[in-house]
């Protein structure tokens, strides 16, 4: 009889700090694996604590609680398949990122992460000690090599595992999403498979944690890089994969292959998951936002409706004397198409009251940006009052272009607890609205069809803080601005490189100056879903006070 090994892949959504809840998820997966006759159920990196824990894992009491939870899980799941689960481990005074194997009521092995990532959103070298390169672990008939996440991005750990007798590679991950990340992962894992000649299981978690979204999309490869299983992106899944002993070694048998989303759908799904989990894991079930009749707030309203359901989203129009009739109509049309509640709270009265209060001090000065910002701050005040009164998290709606150059008002339109479009440039906002109008998926809780009227997408953007105002009065056209920002922010290019590619020298210098001057605003801004490798926060850490300017273009 041909020897087989059934491995259950648990692509699940843990919550940072919820040890009991995460263990309950693991136990439920183990029960399903036992019912399916599996030999082992595998969970992801740092599953018991959730990921990323950041400095929470430096609390020794937290680590001890996590280790005790894993040992209780082992005792509770003695009769059935083995469990592989990620969690911290104290070895003397060294804190390790570990992967625990549980079988027969006890811990049978613990593998420690060797390569600690220290770039982009990761800072593991300040949290963990590096483990020694290790050999495989036996589970039933199989010798399983376990390179933890970053260990699989380098050849040495996998090569050592193959040389010391591993028959398959299991890679437990906490790998966050950024655009085109899946292709990067698959290409690297194909390289590891070609180098070692072993089947490889890439198991990734799903769900949102702060600004990061873990996109799942786990997969299984056979030697020569043949794809044998592909789990869905951004959704939980429990899949049983069978391995069979052959004359050439163990091989994965075919399992379901789920089609992966294109880049537009992936970004949109990431924003929905990021918002849903940030609210849900923070204890919120409802959201509100200022719906201006513009494109940014319309997209945030659509994302919120898809994440929470239209009935859980309150939209608020806050008109002033400068608000156009079109904006009132467009806000109403968006709320109506989405099925969200729309309230209206005018700010003319509060604006007059503030003007009267400050009048004696402002006497003799010309109206300008100060008066414009008062309007934005009054809106922020009123929206925060509604948030406090009704327990609805306020969403802020500034796109990456605005956040980059500070075209936003601190304590005004920047007020809020979360910003799903924070890492989406304005030009992509336009395209994302068109994508959402043309597509609907089962994971969307909002309605199908045209939920953002074309007039909202096509009209010139305006903050409507003074008569006839347009964004391009203060900024370059968004197509130009975004191309410059992608160079300065996403690729860290010099001003000279951008000028050499044809951009106007004065415009590049102005944009760079605005980026540096706005660092303090971004430091105080709400978190938002990370979509790129250079999102504002952990990916890009600049000083708030900085007198250096790039003069290479001069």
């Amino acid at each position: 009889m041909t020897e087989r090994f059934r491995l259950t892949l648990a692509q699940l959504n843990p919550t940072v700090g919820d040890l009991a809840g995460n263990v309950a998820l693991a136990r439920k997966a183990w029960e399903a694996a036992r019912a399916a006759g599996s030999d082992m159920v595998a969970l992801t990196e740092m599953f018991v604590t959730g990921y990323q824990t950041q400095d929470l894992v430096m609390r020794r009491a937290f680590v001890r609680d996590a280790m005790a939870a894993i040992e209780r899980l082992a005792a509770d799941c003695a009769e059935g398949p083995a469990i592989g689960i990620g969690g911290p481990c104290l070895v003397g005074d060294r804190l390790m990122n570990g992967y625990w194997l549980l079988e027969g009521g006890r811990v049978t092995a613990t593998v420690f992460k060797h390569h600690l990532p220290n770039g982009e959103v990761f800072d593991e070298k300040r949290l963990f000690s590096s483990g020694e390169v290790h050999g495989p672990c036996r589970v039933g008939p199989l010798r399983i090599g376990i390179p933890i996440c970053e260990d699989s991005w380098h050849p040495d750990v996998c090569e050592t595992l193959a040389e010391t007798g591993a028959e398959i590679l299991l890679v437990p991950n906490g790998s966050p999403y950024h655009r085109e990340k899946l292709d990067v992962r698959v290409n690297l894992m194909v390289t590891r498979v070609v180098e070692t000649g072993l089947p490889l299981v890439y198991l990734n978690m799903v769900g949102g944690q702060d600004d990061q979204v873990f996109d799942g999309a786990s997969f299984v490869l056979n030697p020569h890089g043949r794809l044998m299983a592909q789990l869905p992106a951004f959704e939980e899944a429990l899949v049983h994969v069978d391995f069979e002993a052959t004359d050439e070694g163990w091989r994965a048998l075919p399992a379901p292959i789920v089609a992966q989303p294109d880049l537009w759908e992936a970004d949109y799904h990431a924003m929905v998951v990021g918002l849903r989990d940030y609210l849900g894991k923070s204890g919120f079930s409802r959201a509100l936002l200022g719906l201006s009749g513009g494109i940014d707030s319309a997209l945030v309203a659509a994302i919120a409706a898809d994440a929470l359901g239209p009935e859980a989203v309150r939209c608020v129009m806050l008109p002033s004397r400068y608000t156009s009739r079109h904006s009132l109509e467009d806000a109403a049309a968006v709320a109506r198409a989405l099925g969200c509640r729309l309230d209206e709270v005018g700010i003319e009265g509060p604006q007059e009251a503030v003007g009267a209060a400050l009048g004696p001090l402002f006497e003799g000065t010309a109206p300008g940006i100060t008066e414009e910002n008062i309007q934005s701050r009054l809106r922020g005040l009123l929206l925060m009052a509604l948030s406090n009164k009704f327990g609805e998290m306020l969403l802020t709606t500034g796109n990456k272009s605005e956040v980059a150059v500070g075209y936003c008002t601190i304590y005004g339109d920047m007020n809020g607890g979360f910003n799903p479009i924070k890492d989406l440039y304005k030009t992509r906002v336009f395209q994302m609205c068109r994508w959402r109008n043309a597509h609907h998926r089962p994971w969307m809780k909002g309605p199908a069809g045209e939920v953002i009227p074309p007039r909202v997408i096509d009209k010139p953007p305006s903050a409507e803080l003074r008569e006839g105002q347009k964004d391009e009065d203060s900024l370059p056209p968004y197509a130009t601005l975004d191309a410059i920002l992608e160079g300065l922010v996403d690729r860290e290019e010099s001003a000279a490189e951008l000028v050499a590619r044809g951009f106007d020298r004065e415009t590049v210098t102005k944009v760079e100056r605005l980026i540096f001057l706005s660092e303090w605003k971004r430091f105080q801004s709400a978190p938002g879903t990370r979509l790129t490798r250079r999102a504002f926060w952990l990916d890009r850490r600049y000083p708030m006070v900085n007198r250096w300017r790039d003069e290479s273009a001069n």
Side-chain angles (χ1 to χ4, degrees):
M1 179 180 294
T2 302
E3 197 167 26
R4 288 197 176 185
F5 185 94
R6 174 164 288 185
L7 177 64
T8 296
L9 307 183
Q11 179 178 286
L12 302 177
N13 183 358
T15 298
V16 166
D18 186 8
L19 303 179
N22 297 339
V23 166
L25 288 175
R27 185 179 291 110
K28 186 176 180 181
W30 175 81
E31 290 169 353
R34 182 174 61 176
S38 291
D39 297 281
M40 178 180 173
V41 57
L43 297 114
T44 50
E45 178 183 15
M46 293 292 284
F47 186 87
V48 73
T49 59
Y51 195 65
Q52 293 192 69
T53 59
Q54 299 189 63
D55 284 4
L56 177 61
V57 81
M58 297 176 76
R59 297 283 295 268
R60 290 303 191 251
F62 175 67
V63 173
R64 292 188 186 99
D65 285 349
M67 294 171 65
I70 293 174
E71 289 168 352
R72 286 194 300 271
L73 178 66
D76 292 344
C77 300
E79 301 296 327
I83 299 173
I85 186 169
C89 185
L90 279 172
V91 181
D93 62 352
R94 301 172 71 209
L95 177 61
M96 318 296 285
N97 180 332
Y99 197 73
W100 302 58
L101 291 178
L102 319 177
E103 191 172 12
R106 63 187 183 88
V107 177
T108 57
T110 311
V111 171
F112 302 128
K113 192 172 185 178
H114 176 66
H115 290 289
L116 301 176
N118 207 53
E120 296 182 347
V121 297
F122 295 102
D123 201 8
E124 289 202 356
K125 287 186 178 179
R126 73 186 293 267
L127 301 176
F128 299 108
S129 296
S130 173
E132 300 297 323
V133 178
H134 49 82
C137 304
R138 177 170 288 280
V139 180
L142 261 184
R143 293 190 300 274
I144 303 177
I146 305 173
I148 301 173
C149 198
E150 185 76 8
D151 288 343
S152 68
W153 290 57
H154 304 268
D156 56 342
V157 175
C158 293
E159 287 177 0
T160 297
L161 287 166
E163 290 167 359
T164 52
E167 294 169 301
I168 71 168
L169 298 174
L170 168 63
V171 186
N173 288 272
S175 180
Y177 172 78
H178 65 66
R179 201 172 295 144
E180 300 179 326
K181 183 72 170 284
L182 180 60
D183 289 343
V184 175
R185 294 186 193 123
V186 171
N187 289 337
L188 275 167
M189 294 309 107
V190 167
T191 301
R192 298 291 89 84
V193 165
V194 170
E195 290 168 348
T196 63
L198 299 177
L200 183 146
V201 176
Y202 187 97
L203 177 62
N204 192 25
M205 68 172 62
V206 291
Q209 172 60 38
D210 297 345
D211 67 319
Q212 296 166 42
V213 172
F214 298 90
D215 54 322
S218 306
F219 55 90
V220 178
L221 299 172
N222 262 344
H224 309 296
R226 183 182 175 192
L227 184 67
M228 303 306 294
Q230 177 76 70
L231 277 60
F234 301 103
E235 299 180 33
E236 290 189 310
L238 199 72
V239 173
H240 314 294
V241 177
D242 290 324
F243 290 83
E244 185 176 86
T246 73
D247 292 340
E248 298 179 336
W250 287 85
R251 297 292 183 265
L253 300 180
I257 295 177
V258 178
Q260 298 299 293
D262 65 20
L263 297 183
W264 294 102
E265 180 173 347
D267 271 8
Y268 192 86
H269 205 166
M271 291 186 289
V272 168
V273 170
L275 174 59
R276 180 200 69 201
D277 280 1
Y278 187 80
L279 266 65
K281 293 179 179 182
S282 300
F284 286 82
S285 60
R286 300 183 60 83
L288 82 151
L289 67 141
L291 190 64
S292 67
I295 192 170
D296 296 318
S297 61
L299 179 57
V300 171
I303 293 167
D306 285 333
L308 308 173
E311 70 285 350
V313 180
R314 180 201 299 260
C315 299
V316 186
M317 177 44 138
L318 301 113
S320 74
R321 67 173 66 96
Y322 302 116
T323 302
S324 68
R325 178 177 56 82
H326 278 182
S327 291
L328 291 168
E329 293 171 353
D330 291 344
V334 170
R336 184 167 56 251
L338 288 170
C340 298
R341 172 175 176 168
L342 178 63
D343 293 319
E344 184 172 315
V345 182
I347 68 165
E348 287 194 44
Q351 189 178 355
E352 290 173 2
V354 171
L358 293 173
L361 298 176
F362 283 10
E363 187 175 1
T365 66
I369 194 170
T370 299
E371 285 74 15
E372 293 179 19
N373 285 343
I374 286 171
Q375 297 173 61
S376 180
R377 290 182 176 125
L378 284 170
R379 290 185 171 113
L381 183 152
L382 295 169
L383 289 168
M384 282 304 304
L386 290 170
S387 175
N388 293 159
K389 178 63 70 174
F390 297 107
E392 301 165 346
M393 183 176 285
L394 174 59
L395 307 181
T396 183
T397 60
N399 60 70
K400 189 173 185 177
S401 308
E402 295 169 348
V403 172
V405 297
Y407 193 65
C408 45
T409 304
I410 195 78
Y411 320 126
D413 61 338
M414 290 178 68
N415 278 6
F418 194 79
N419 180 1
I421 67 169
K422 184 178 181 179
D423 199 24
L424 198 67
Y425 285 120
K426 185 79 169 190
T427 48
R428 296 188 76 90
V429 169
F430 288 109
Q431 186 59 32
M432 191 62 76
C433 289
R434 296 186 181 99
W435 182 89
R436 176 58 179 86
N437 279 345
H439 298 86
H440 193 267
R441 299 289 185 262
W443 45 264
M444 297 177 179
K445 294 185 177 181
E450 190 176 84
V451 294
I452 301 173
R455 190 169 76 175
V456 173
I457 302 172
D458 296 336
K459 67 183 179 182
S462 171
E464 292 192 324
L465 296 175
R466 63 177 182 268
E467 200 68 48
Q469 184 183 31
K470 299 291 185 291
D471 287 7
E472 290 188 11
D473 298 340
S474 304
L475 300 173
Y478 278 114
T480 301
L481 175 63
D482 288 355
I484 294 172
L485 289 173
E486 286 175 358
L488 294 175
V489 175
D490 295 53
R491 296 190 297 273
E492 294 283 5
E493 292 179 336
S494 70
E497 288 175 296
L498 290 167
V499 171
R501 289 218 305 272
F503 292 100
D504 175 70
R505 186 188 315 272
E506 184 177 343
T507 303
V508 171
T509 300
K510 175 185 176 180
V511 171
E512 187 206 43
R513 176 178 175 274
L514 290 172
I515 292 170
F516 284 140
L517 289 177
S518 303
E519 204 65 51
W520 68 278
K521 284 188 180 182
R522 287 190 289 274
F523 187 80
Q524 299 183 60
S525 65
T529 307
R530 175 183 186 254
L531 302 174
T532 69
R533 298 183 68 170
R534 294 296 281 173
F536 293 122
W537 191 38
L538 292 177
D539 280 311
R540 183 185 180 279
R541 310 177 203 186
Y542 270 67
M544 287 177 283
V545 177
N546 165 31
R547 290 191 177 182
W548 180 83
R549 297 295 182 265
D550 183 358
E551 298 179 359
S552 63
N554 295 333

